[in-house]
Amino acid sequence: MGNQGSSLGDEPSTAIAQKNLQHFDHSFKGELHSASGNLICATFGKNIKFAKRPITIICKSSSMDLIEEVGITNRKQAIVPYALINGISWDHGNSEVKFDFTKGEDDDDETPPFVILTLSNSVEFEGEVKLRLNGLASTNRGIKIPSPLYFGMFAGATKPKPFQRKRPNLSSLPSGKLPPLAEMRSQALELHKGAYRPCPQGESRRMSIALQHIYEGCNTFQVISARGSSLPSRSDSTIVINDECITFGPRGSNDNRVEYLFSDITDWNAVDNESFRSGESGINITLSNDESVFFGVSFIRDVKHTLEYFWNRYKVSVGQEKEVKLGSTHGRPIMSVYTLSGEIPPPDPPVGHCEVIDQDGIVVRPGGKMVPRRNSIGQIAAKEMKVVPSENREVKRHWHKVVLHQGWLLKQGGVGVGTAKSWIKRYFVLYKTSQGHFLVYYSDFTECPMYTTEKNHRNIVDLAKATFIRPGSNKSDSVDIPAYCFDIVTTEREWTLCAESQENVLKWLKLINFAVDADVAILADEELLFKVKPKVDPLGILNPSDYSTTLKVSANGISVCAPDVTRKDGSDREYYFWVYTDFFKWSLLSQGGKLALLVNVFADSSFSRRNEYIFRNKEAVRLATAIEYFIEKFMSVMHIRLETQEGAFDDVGDVNGEAGAPTAGLHGISVDDDAPHEDEIDLQLVEENLLDMEISPAIPQAVPSYKHDNDFAAGSFVTPSVPARPAPAVVADPFGDDDPFGLGPLSAATVPASAVNTASRAPAPTAPKGGSTLLDDLLMDPIPSSTAASNVTINKPSDVFGSDPFGDDPFGSSPTSLSSGLGQKVEKPAPPLTPFQQAQHKSWLTAALAANGGPFYDDGVLQVTSKIEIRGSQCRLSLAYVNNSPGTLSDLQVSIADPAGLIRFELGVGPTSLPGLGRHSQVMMAECIKPAGPGPSWSVSYLDSLSLQRRSCTLPLPLLLTSFIEPLALSGDDFSARWQMLVGAGQESQEILKPLRPLVPGEVQAALVTVLRLGRINGIADSSEYVIYGAGSLRTGAVTSTGEKINVGCLAKIEMNVQANAMRVTLRTLHPAATAALLQATKFLLL
């Protein structure tokens, strides 16, 4: 019993057990699974692999006997001395143990000797082996007890080291297969900024969604917009997602509801537009009749994960496991698990109790007598007999779907004197929900949802946040700890629970382990906050004298925030964001009784230069554990996201029971082959002595040294030789009040030659002389655009635009950034944008055209956003440059090219360099002078002072012919009349477009209005969801002979064939040049 030592004096119970155990032999039933080496194979034969031969294991004082009964009278017996065991690995999820032995003279030199045993109760057997080994070591000082290793989520008295364990695989992709580091980093940055940005601590939405699923058997979400021919128009609508369908209808009413069965849905996808326009995200489903339906929602992450769960569970229930949603993380079956013998298909999941039971394990029924509840060990709370209340019928219908296991456990309560707190019996329910698995406990079973509609739970353990499970509590040597205890450790706290029997403990552990494995890719949606004192900051930005710096640890990285003294309210500003791919190593430091965490991170996306930081925090161990937890989750998510990439499943084999590829940590992934390196980089995520509590007694010399031994305690670090940099200077708001063009056009006197990136000035179009036609005006020669130049003298021209059509300019200039010389260091080219980044920039471009601005460029170092204002034929494009790196960006050159001659423009003064974390803005004034395509392009080039890499890139500007179109509101008859008039040569262009992605009519309809900027025309006979019409007026700055600006009417018809995934686009304008240019822009935007 756990309390055995309390009545036998001051000697700990384990020491007493070790002494007494040598007088007894204990036997255990099990199976011989696999073996190698003469110690075992000499008795049981060679080639023992997956044998599953029944044996009896007898633990004696100095050895362990393995006995196999052969017939009635014969037996095989192998004697294993404890002294020969040099390694022990436990897999409690599969009730297995592996013993590694010291190699004997007759053993094969290539294969180390070992044996793998399968036990009926591995937890009980581990306790026996521990006592035997400790007893042997106490009597033989030369015996060294091997430290146990644990598979999966289990741990012993010491915590598992990072990436030592191998996690289950939810995908058919080979375990450990991950995208390139640069691609993972780019994805993580986008997720962190978009719909997957973390909730503030304490504001998680997962918990409330999970509780709704528990009580209602479904999840309900508010719909902010809906598109689809079968959808009635209404406000205040919701979608309800359950095990079989998606139901759309008015909130709180069952009338006029539309039900979409999963059996009728051929596919669905989540549309995440949160990174550039809030409120435009949602779920798009495709039905078997090729109809497309879109539901706009507020929190796309929550809806996506919920639909993933119900959709995947449905596919599994109908025998279509291979049709689960690729890239999904919720509700997926486990495809393979790691055992002591390698990677194998998962065993059958453990089965729990779905029936409510009383404290004696008897199933309760409404109206029956309740057993008096025992509050704690040996105590009875009440003597009177109570009646079991009636069941909640609404919950009973789905209770078996959300409950994995339930029963009674002891937990330590908060009432007691000093540290002696009472042990209280609580009713625990292990739930499986759309947001993961949760272990919830109640005061009594009558307070669980089966018997009440009120949420009376005492507390909730989020198993998606579990870092490890310890069978046999770390506190088990304490005299007040009951027997059969175990620990669940999460990123938030540690729970110690106790069962009533060894069998009950094993059942709970197997079910909890299965739940944690199923949630291997489910992430917490909120931040963990740690207040730290930055004792070492190589850039000198953070305040080293107090705990004002906050580390916000979340799903995709760590945000380093500190108060911004330039803000009136003193609110925090994010100075760094470290994606988990940036971590090179981390370790715990201790001196003078104080804990700190050393973090070594890569400085930028080149993965070639590192910075080292030291943060002091009394919870440094929990902080380090959280980092490990999130990196493991990050790797699981990125492994699954790889499924959505083309060619991901090439050369995928089946799991065959052999030792599979090891679960790769980020240290096992090489940098993208295209990325140049000065030398080979071993990207190891090392955590020296991190979680086994063997904390380094002092800081290594590679990091800051000390003036004397007590410097750490005194807080007086000697910083490294890296020169400290002041915090970045306050820069003006790029959208301030000062107009960079307010003093008139730029001149050589006001613009340094070195600051000139582009000079493109064309005189305003003049009226043609006699004999020219309107078409001649539109087909004038393109106006040449200059490229980036240095040492250029600009003569003072006349104002190219005349009066500013925007009135008071809301845009302002910002101070000139400081340049940073690089001496004689040799620069090298940076790798180009990855295909994923190129696709991302294309989506940003389309979004910016629709939203008049947004993200424009991001290479991981330099980030550029745009803001667009259009007035008729004139445009003001403002670009805001942000340096996300702590190093200076020097020799920054920006140029605009427009070979087609769509616009005439004037590019304002741009930055020639950007300091670390600095900002700058640039304004371009432009006017459309002719219909032409493609649109202008933007080029950037700069030198990254940290990596010494020259980065260059050219992208299309979010400025096309369609940017200058104003929508027209025409009646159907008026449109038809104009359409019939434009039948001349070249006035019509028609082409069939076949997009690479699935054709969604709702998206095309939206594109007609948002990016083509045409007014939607209704009232035409054949107009429908699949045939749409639009009209607009192209505004140009070209003038007629009378001085009037030329406008060109544009008409469009788009016919969609969803089944063929094609659309026929027909465009008509008065001028063939305009028709051709409009078709070119339309193809670019719709494909």
Side-chain angles (χ1 to χ4, degrees):
M1 295 295 292
N3 293 336
Q4 183 180 1
S6 61
S7 60
L8 300 176
D10 296 331
E11 196 169 9
S13 59
T14 52
I16 296 171
Q18 291 164 15
K19 290 181 178 179
N20 294 335
L21 197 63
Q22 58 184 325
H23 303 297
F24 302 94
D25 294 343
H26 291 168
S27 62
F28 299 85
K29 294 295 183 181
E31 294 178 347
L32 179 61
H33 185 285
S34 302
S36 175
N38 192 57
L39 183 63
I40 304 298
C41 295
T43 302
F44 296 101
K46 296 183 179 180
N47 299 321
I48 303 174
K49 192 170 186 180
F50 301 98
K52 296 185 178 181
R53 293 160 63 172
I55 61 171
T56 300
I57 306 153
I58 301 178
C59 293
K60 299 182 178 181
S61 58
S62 61
S63 65
M64 178 172 55
D65 294 355
L66 308 183
I67 301 173
E68 180 185 26
E69 301 293 342
V70 181
I72 299 176
T73 58
N74 297 327
R75 64 165 51 184
K76 294 181 179 180
Q77 181 174 351
I79 300 175
V80 180
Y82 297 135
L84 293 181
I85 299 176
N86 61 19
I88 307 177
S89 301
W90 297 96
D91 181 4
H92 291 300
N94 295 288
S95 284
E96 293 179 352
V97 60
K98 178 181 180 182
F99 294 106
D100 294 301
F101 305 122
T102 302
K103 187 174 294 187
E105 295 180 357
D106 299 332
D107 288 328
D108 185 355
D109 292 335
E110 297 181 359
T111 306
F114 71 90
V115 64
I116 298 176
L117 305 176
T118 303
L119 289 308
S120 58
N121 192 323
S122 59
V123 175
E124 184 180 12
F125 186 66
E126 181 185 8
E128 176 78 13
V129 171
K130 282 182 179 178
L131 291 175
R132 295 288 181 179
L133 293 177
N134 289 333
L136 184 65
S138 65
T139 57
N140 299 272
R141 294 189 176 181
I143 300 295
K144 184 179 180 181
I145 302 175
S147 299
L149 302 178
Y150 294 87
F151 259 59
M153 292 301 295
F154 289 102
T158 57
K159 301 177 183 180
K161 292 188 177 182
F163 315 115
Q164 191 179 73
R165 57 194 177 199
K166 297 181 174 70
R167 304 306 309 279
N169 189 2
L170 302 182
S171 172
S172 298
L173 293 174
S175 297
K177 187 174 183 179
L178 293 172
L181 281 174
E183 186 173 325
M184 288 193 291
R185 188 178 193 274
S186 178
Q187 290 186 44
L189 287 171
E190 286 307 308
L191 292 171
H192 181 73
K193 298 173 184 177
Y196 284 74
R197 58 185 176 272
C199 304
Q201 187 171 16
E203 298 182 18
S204 170
R205 297 187 297 271
R206 285 181 60 243
M207 196 75 72
S208 59
I209 297 172
L211 287 174
Q212 184 190 44
H213 184 194
I214 292 170
Y215 280 84
E216 301 178 15
C218 60
N219 286 128
T220 303
F221 300 95
Q222 180 71 34
V223 174
I224 58 178
S225 64
R227 297 191 293 269
S229 60
S230 62
L231 296 180
S233 177
R234 59 168 66 95
S235 60
D236 194 26
S237 299
T238 62
I239 54 171
V240 180
I241 308 175
N242 60 27
D243 297 288
E244 299 177 347
C245 64
I246 303 174
T247 304
F248 172 75
R251 178 182 292 275
S253 174
N254 291 325
D255 298 332
N256 299 323
R257 302 183 75 85
V258 182
E259 192 174 82
Y260 301 97
L261 296 173
F262 287 150
S263 58
D264 294 333
I265 298 176
T266 58
D267 196 11
W268 63 271
N269 64 288
V271 181
D272 181 7
N273 291 329
E274 292 298 317
S275 59
F276 59 85
R277 179 186 285 187
S278 178
E280 289 295 322
S281 300
I283 297 294
N284 194 90
I285 64 175
T286 304
L287 304 177
S288 55
N289 61 357
D290 293 332
E291 180 185 355
S292 178
V293 180
F294 177 82
F295 302 110
V297 295
S298 298
F299 300 107
I300 182 59
R301 171 178 55 186
D302 302 338
V303 182
K304 177 177 180 288
H305 288 164
T306 299
L307 185 52
E308 283 178 357
Y309 173 83
F310 285 110
W311 173 268
N312 290 338
R313 298 281 295 180
Y314 169 79
K315 289 296 182 181
V316 172
S317 68
V318 297
Q320 299 174 357
E321 293 87 350
K322 295 184 178 180
E323 296 185 21
V324 296
K325 187 68 175 177
L326 295 181
S328 62
T329 56
H330 290 57
R332 297 184 65 152
I334 297 174
M335 300 301 295
S336 64
V337 295
Y338 277 96
T339 66
L340 295 170
S341 54
E343 187 179 13
I344 63 172
D348 293 334
V351 179
H353 294 301
C354 291
E355 300 286 347
V356 180
I357 58 174
D358 62 16
Q359 293 182 87
D360 295 329
I362 300 174
V363 176
V364 299
R365 294 289 182 253
K369 297 296 184 180
M370 292 175 55
V371 176
R373 188 169 72 88
R374 296 183 289 274
N375 276 341
S376 59
I377 302 175
Q379 295 180 346
I380 297 179
K383 296 182 179 180
E384 68 275 7
M385 300 289 286
K386 295 183 179 180
V387 176
V388 178
S390 59
E391 295 175 336
N392 185 341
R393 293 184 178 180
E394 295 297 323
V395 173
K396 186 177 181 179
R397 289 183 296 186
H398 64 266
W399 184 250
H400 67 285
K401 296 180 180 180
V402 297
V403 173
L404 188 60
H405 186 54
Q406 55 190 325
W408 295 86
L409 292 171
L410 290 173
K411 69 168 295 290
Q412 202 168 29
V415 179
V417 179
T419 58
K421 297 181 179 180
S422 61
W423 285 87
I424 302 174
K425 210 163 196 179
R426 299 297 189 197
Y427 193 73
F428 282 76
V429 184
L430 177 56
Y431 292 107
K432 47 186 176 182
T433 77
S434 61
Q435 305 301 308
H437 291 78
F438 297 84
L439 184 62
V440 184
Y441 67 87
Y442 309 86
S443 295
D444 203 343
F445 70 82
T446 57
E447 295 185 357
C448 73
M450 179 63 87
Y451 297 100
T452 179
T453 58
E454 298 180 3
K455 295 179 174 61
N456 291 326
H457 55 269
R458 305 282 298 187
N459 214 330
I460 299 177
V461 184
D462 186 351
L463 293 180
K465 297 179 181 179
T467 58
F468 62 90
I469 306 165
R470 184 187 292 117
S473 173
N474 210 25
K475 313 180 186 74
S476 57
D477 283 344
S478 178
V479 296
D480 67 331
I481 298 293
Y484 318 125
C485 53
F486 61 95
D487 296 333
I488 302 175
V489 182
T490 71
T491 56
E492 299 169 336
R493 61 169 288 184
E494 181 173 326
W495 306 78
T496 299
L497 307 173
C498 301
E500 292 186 337
S501 66
Q502 195 67 260
E503 292 74 19
N504 206 358
V505 166
L506 187 63
K507 192 174 192 67
W508 274 108
L509 287 176
K510 285 191 173 184
L511 286 157
I512 292 173
N513 179 69
F514 171 78
V516 174
D517 282 350
D519 293 351
V520 65
I522 295 180
L523 284 160
D525 63 347
E526 60 182 334
E527 301 168 323
L528 284 176
L529 303 185
F530 295 88
K531 287 290 186 180
V532 297
K533 180 187 288 187
K535 300 305 297 182
V536 173
D537 173 15
L539 303 180
I541 293 175
L542 307 174
N543 186 352
S545 61
D546 59 24
Y547 286 86
S548 60
T549 300
T550 303
L551 299 185
K552 298 181 178 180
V553 188
S554 59
N556 293 293
I558 297 180
S559 176
V560 184
C561 301
D564 189 345
V565 296
T566 65
R567 298 178 179 176
K568 294 182 180 179
D569 58 356
S571 57
D572 281 358
R573 170 188 171 186
E574 182 181 272
Y575 287 94
Y576 313 117
F577 180 71
W578 296 325
V579 176
Y580 290 122
T581 55
D582 298 342
F583 281 76
F584 180 74
K585 71 174 182 179
W586 67 96
S587 57
L588 285 174
L589 307 175
S590 175
Q591 189 159 349
K594 296 182 181 292
L595 286 174
L597 184 69
L598 180 148
V599 178
N600 191 303
V601 295
F602 287 101
D604 54 37
S605 60
S606 67
F607 302 106
S608 60
R609 184 180 178 88
R610 302 192 303 270
N611 290 327
E612 204 160 57
Y613 300 80
I614 295 179
F615 299 106
R616 182 188 292 176
N617 181 275
K618 64 180 180 180
E619 291 188 301
V621 175
R622 189 168 77 92
L623 172 57
T625 304
I627 293 174
E628 176 203 347
Y629 159 83
F630 277 110
I631 289 180
E632 283 190 335
K633 291 279 188 175
F634 179 82
M635 290 161 54
S636 296
V637 171
M638 289 299 167
H639 172 66
I640 291 176
R641 288 177 67 88
L642 190 62
E643 290 180 329
T644 60
Q645 297 188 10
E646 185 177 356
F649 289 93
D650 294 346
D651 302 326
V652 174
D654 296 328
V655 177
N656 56 13
E658 298 292 333
T663 301
L666 296 177
H667 59 286
I669 305 300
S670 60
V671 180
D672 190 351
D673 294 337
D674 294 333
H677 296 280
E678 295 179 347
D679 51 19
E680 291 294 324
I681 300 172
D682 184 17
L683 294 179
Q684 294 186 5
L685 286 173
V686 183
E687 188 180 1
E688 302 168 354
N689 299 323
L690 174 57
L691 295 177
D692 56 2
M693 306 307 293
E694 298 175 9
I695 301 172
S696 304
I699 298 180
Q701 291 195 340
V703 300
S705 57
Y706 306 96
K707 295 179 180 177
H708 50 78
D709 291 342
N710 295 324
D711 279 349
F712 198 114
S716 54
F717 271 65
V718 180
T719 57
S721 58
V722 179
R725 300 184 186 180
V730 180
V731 297
D733 183 351
F735 305 109
D737 297 327
D738 297 329
D739 183 4
F741 303 101
L743 297 178
L746 303 175
S747 66
T750 60
V751 182
S754 60
V756 176
N757 294 316
T758 289
S760 179
R761 290 183 173 79
T766 56
K769 296 184 179 180
S772 63
T773 64
L774 184 59
L775 185 58
D776 294 330
D777 296 328
L778 294 170
L779 297 178
M780 66 178 71
D781 292 335
I783 300 174
S785 300
S786 64
T787 58
S790 59
N791 301 322
V792 176
T793 302
I794 304 176
N795 297 321
K796 184 175 181 180
S798 58
D799 189 351
V800 297
F801 292 113
S803 60
D804 186 356
F806 301 99
D808 296 332
D809 193 343
F811 300 91
S813 60
S814 54
T816 303
S817 302
L818 298 176
S819 300
S820 175
L822 296 177
Q824 301 300 318
K825 296 181 180 179
V826 180
E827 66 182 62
K828 53 189 176 182
L833 296 179
T834 65
F836 175 84
Q837 290 175 313
Q838 294 173 4
Q840 181 64 76
H841 284 76
K842 172 64 186 300
S843 66
W844 281 345
L845 175 67
T846 306
L849 290 168
N852 290 324
F856 172 56
Y857 174 75
D858 192 342
D859 58 17
V861 177
L862 177 64
Q863 184 183 64
V864 184
T865 57
S866 65
K867 183 176 181 180
I868 308 168
E869 289 183 290
I870 305 287
R871 299 284 178 86
S873 63
Q874 297 185 346
C875 166
R876 176 169 51 219
L877 174 63
S878 179
L879 300 175
Y881 299 84
V882 179
N883 179 5
N884 288 322
S885 165
T888 299
L889 307 184
S890 60
D891 193 21
L892 179 59
Q893 302 177 27
V894 177
S895 62
I896 305 294
D898 182 26
L902 172 68
I903 60 173
R904 60 190 181 100
F905 63 92
E906 180 177 320
L907 185 62
V909 179
T912 58
S913 67
L914 275 178
L917 305 178
R919 299 168 180 263
H920 210 293
S921 64
Q922 186 176 32
V923 178
M924 184 182 84
M925 306 293 287
E927 185 173 31
C928 176
I929 56 172
K930 61 180 288 187
S937 62
W938 170 88
S939 297
V940 65
S941 174
Y942 67 87
L943 184 64
D944 186 346
S945 63
L946 289 180
S947 64
L948 293 181
Q949 291 185 334
R950 165 69 63 178
R951 295 182 180 272
S952 300
C953 185
T954 299
L955 294 174
L957 268 180
L959 203 62
L960 300 178
L961 174 72
T962 56
S963 302
F964 301 97
I965 292 179
E966 292 184 354
L968 293 178
L970 302 178
S971 66
D973 294 339
D974 193 7
F975 179 91
S976 298
R978 296 171 184 259
W979 183 266
Q980 296 300 325
M981 293 173 61
L982 300 174
V983 292
Q987 292 182 337
E988 178 185 277
S989 287
Q990 186 180 92
E991 190 165 336
I992 295 178
L993 309 181
K994 293 188 175 182
L996 297 178
R997 60 183 184 276
L999 180 61
V1000 180
E1003 294 179 0
V1004 178
Q1005 295 166 15
L1008 179 77
V1009 177
T1010 57
V1011 293
L1012 296 181
R1013 299 181 182 270
L1014 299 174
R1016 178 80 179 270
I1017 306 299
N1018 297 312
I1020 301 177
D1022 61 343
S1023 62
S1024 66
E1025 180 185 2
Y1026 304 101
V1027 180
I1028 57 176
Y1029 294 86
S1033 175
L1034 172 64
R1035 305 289 298 274
T1036 74
V1039 294
T1040 65
S1041 58
T1042 60
E1044 296 179 356
K1045 289 187 175 181
I1046 300 173
N1047 301 326
V1048 181
C1050 304
L1051 305 180
K1053 178 182 180 180
I1054 302 178
E1055 302 164 277
M1056 292 168 274
N1057 187 332
V1058 177
Q1059 187 174 3
N1061 202 60
M1063 51 186 162
R1064 180 166 57 195
V1065 176
T1066 307
L1067 303 172
R1068 293 186 182 183
T1069 74
L1070 179 62
H1071 306 289
T1075 306
L1078 181 58
L1079 179 62
Q1080 183 180 21
T1082 302
K1083 291 168 59 178
F1084 175 79
L1085 294 171
L1086 295 185
L1087 290 179

